[in-house]
Amino acid sequence: MDVVIWIGATLTIVGLVGIVYSIVAVTRAKRAGLTDDELRARVSRILPINLIALFVSMIGLMAVIIGVMLG
């Protein structure tokens, strides 16, 4: 079950990198001084990345928990 734990940990790290990227991208967009419509457009392009990153991180954490419980 060590393989499941390591795969889960890797997925969790990939998800966290995606979440940090989303935070940085939205912060840059806010500081860019864009108009309201431009800011909404940029944030709406970043939102799917954030949701996918959260999903990947959740799947990774679930894999780690399953690996620990079965190991």
Side-chain angles (χ1 to χ4, degrees), residues 1-55:
M1 287 298 124
D2 288 339
V3 174
V4 175
I5 294 172
W6 283 108
I7 291 172
T10 304
L11 285 174
T12 302
I13 291 170
V14 169
L16 286 176
V17 167
I19 292 169
V20 169
Y21 168 76
S22 298
I23 292 170
V24 169
V26 169
T27 303
R28 285 184 184 168
K30 284 185 178 182
R31 290 185 182 168
L34 302 173
T35 64
D36 191 40
D37 291 335
E38 292 171 340
L39 183 62
R40 286 180 192 262
R42 191 169 296 178
V43 170
S44 67
R45 284 184 293 180
I46 298 169
L47 182 66
I49 296 169
N50 187 20
L51 292 176
I52 290 169
L54 285 170
F55 179 73

